[in-house]
Amino acid sequence: MGFVEKTSDISQDLKCQGCGAILAYQPGTSYLKCAYCGTENQIIESDIAHAVIDAVDYDEFTAAMQDIHDARFTITAEVVHCQNCGANSTLDPHVTADLCAFCASPLVIDHQEKRVVKPHALIPFFIEENKAFSLFKKWSGGLWFAPNNFKRIFSAQNNRLKGVYIPFWSYDAHASSSYQGQRGEYYYVTRTRRAADGKTETYQEQRTRWYHASGHVYNRFKDVLVSASTSLPHDFASKIGPWDMQHLKPFNSQYLSGFVAETFSIDHIAGSHVAKNIMDAEIANTVRADIGGDTQQVDDVDSVYKDVKLKYVLLPVWLSAYRYKGKSYQIMVNAFNGRVYGQRPYSFWKIAFLVLFIVIIVALLSQQS
């Protein structure tokens, strides 16, 4: 079900108006559909549902995190911890047995209420499960050198796709940077050399004149995303981006009904270091553009970050975790844009046979020549 605020209003919002059953959000719609009577229950959105979602001040948020009971930034949720990969996520209260969405290990479920950080916003699921599975099968069908029995696993994956909201930190900042470097400009000189036939030939040799360069650049960053999950690291999660943050909606627990929502395991402070590396790389590009010339050498950059803000957001993924020969693999389908990325094993024998085939072909061609 995801994060569930323990209020009577929210509890009623997650119950079917027709029969009282627990509801599940229908991807790509504005309602929760009852699996029992088929009633479509419209999602109740606040007056700010379509307003711009403002980031919060970084220092203010840091101070608020000192008190996990601060009602402005936290809610009550039932959290399940995976003993294998360490993922913390939420499940429907009635679930008594399940596999971890991230490593496919059995979960020991002991529903306990905890205070967790309330997301500021989320992108709801847009792609439904059947469509996600079709994209999943198309991706798996194009795998080269995959073991045959591994591919058979995919045919049985339909019931193992899990809709998961992955936690991310989104950072905004203004950066003012002073730099020192050098601008390189190419020029060419005519040289001579002896060719293979013994004749002398001329050619142009590229050289570089270097000039000192210094200056000041300004960068404005908006929605620099960093994965807040150790079970789905930043490098892995970024493969299915980019995410269109214009589709963010203010956090509403109704969108989480029927899905798993992971809580963050990388806090906003650790995430900010990753975000700074991303920003620094972009600043370096801006510096190079400012230096100009044909090539550049950046010797020193001194950046001051101001007006740093953040949002804690949940982004939708259809996730398949499975074990093959004792090793865990993950495959993700972006539940908004449909992009697929996954881990896969390789068949040693298929690769070996291909190499042998190439060696034989080369040998035969050599004999004919």
Side-chain angles (χ1 to χ4, degrees):
M1 179 182 298
F3 299 99
V4 181
E5 292 187 66
K6 300 302 179 180
T7 67
S8 57
D9 291 338
I10 292 295
S11 297
Q12 286 300 115
D13 291 342
L14 297 177
K15 291 183 178 180
C16 178
Q17 298 174 2
C19 66
I22 298 296
L23 297 169
Y25 171 62
Q26 189 72 17
T29 71
S30 61
Y31 58 81
L32 295 90
K33 187 172 183 178
C34 180
Y36 297 94
C37 69
T39 300
E40 297 178 358
N41 298 258
Q42 288 296 314
I43 291 178
I44 301 173
E45 295 184 335
S46 65
D47 295 334
I48 62 170
H50 301 289
V52 175
I53 301 171
D54 294 325
V56 299
D57 181 79
Y58 180 90
D59 292 332
E60 178 186 358
F61 187 80
T62 301
M65 289 301 95
Q66 301 301 315
D67 181 11
I68 194 62
H69 297 287
D70 189 328
R72 295 176 302 164
F73 296 98
T74 64
I75 53 177
T76 300
E78 295 179 344
V79 180
V80 177
H81 177 75
C82 176
Q83 297 294 337
N84 182 55
C85 71
N88 292 310
S89 54
T90 62
L91 298 173
D92 288 322
H94 63 272
V95 174
T96 58
D98 204 350
L99 298 178
C100 176
F102 299 92
C103 69
S105 298
L107 289 173
V108 178
I109 298 177
D110 179 19
H111 291 291
Q112 294 184 4
E113 293 183 9
K114 297 180 180 179
R115 295 297 296 184
V116 296
V117 178
K118 179 181 179 179
H120 299 107
L122 57 79
I123 294 180
F125 273 74
F126 179 77
I127 295 175
E128 49 87 28
E129 184 177 3
N130 289 336
K131 175 63 175 178
F133 185 57
S134 296
L135 295 169
F136 176 84
K137 288 182 66 177
K138 182 178 179 180
W139 174 85
S140 64
L143 295 179
W144 285 59
F145 307 119
N148 292 332
N149 57 343
F150 171 78
K151 286 195 172 185
R152 283 195 290 270
I153 294 176
F154 286 121
S155 64
Q157 286 297 104
N158 194 18
N159 294 327
R160 297 179 61 186
L161 277 177
K162 286 184 178 293
V164 182
Y165 282 97
I166 305 296
F168 282 80
W169 297 110
S170 171
Y171 298 90
D172 301 344
H174 296 169
S176 179
S177 308
S178 299
Y179 68 84
Q180 299 286 333
Q182 299 181 66
R183 181 179 69 255
E185 297 181 354
Y186 296 147
Y187 69 99
Y188 297 87
V189 296
T190 301
R191 303 292 301 274
T192 60
R193 63 189 173 193
R194 190 174 298 278
D197 59 3
K199 295 181 180 181
T200 300
E201 63 179 11
T202 61
Y203 69 97
Q204 297 295 303
E205 183 179 84
Q206 178 182 292
R207 296 182 180 179
T208 305
R209 290 190 181 96
W210 290 99
Y211 302 91
H212 175 73
S214 63
H216 193 87
V217 297
Y218 179 82
N219 287 77
R220 181 178 183 273
F221 296 99
K222 177 70 173 176
D223 287 323
V224 176
L225 282 175
V226 176
S227 172
S229 168
T230 54
S231 48
L232 208 61
H234 173 72
D235 290 344
F236 195 97
S238 63
K239 299 293 185 181
I240 58 171
W243 296 88
D244 188 346
M245 301 298 279
Q246 293 183 353
H247 292 274
L248 279 176
K249 291 181 176 290
F251 175 76
N252 185 331
S253 60
Q254 290 178 301
Y255 285 113
L256 274 60
S257 187
F259 297 94
V260 174
E262 186 189 13
T263 60
F264 71 83
S265 48
I266 299 174
D267 66 22
H268 70 289
I269 297 175
S272 69
H273 299 315
V274 178
K276 183 177 181 298
N277 290 337
I278 297 173
M279 295 179 194
D280 285 345
E282 183 59 32
I283 290 172
N285 290 335
T286 304
V287 167
R288 292 182 184 279
D290 196 62
I291 290 175
D294 297 309
T295 186
Q296 306 82 31
Q297 180 175 313
V298 180
D299 300 321
D300 181 67
V301 178
D302 182 20
S303 298
V304 177
Y305 290 90
K306 298 180 179 179
D307 198 24
V308 181
K309 297 183 178 181
L310 62 80
K311 293 189 291 286
Y312 176 37
V313 300
L314 301 178
L315 303 180
V317 170
W318 287 105
L319 182 65
S320 178
Y322 55 93
R323 301 184 70 84
Y324 179 76
K325 292 189 175 180
K327 185 177 180 180
S328 294
Y329 294 87
Q330 291 177 331
I331 295 173
M332 298 185 299
V333 180
N334 185 316
F336 186 81
N337 64 24
R339 185 167 297 176
V340 183
Y341 180 77
Q343 300 169 313
R344 43 75 57 89
Y346 289 84
S347 169
F348 168 81
W349 293 111
K350 286 186 178 181
I351 296 174
F353 285 136
L354 176 64
V355 172
L356 180 60
F357 176 76
I358 293 174
V359 169
I360 293 173
I361 294 298
V362 171
L364 291 174
L365 292 175
S366 299
Q367 290 177 359
Q368 292 177 0
S369 61

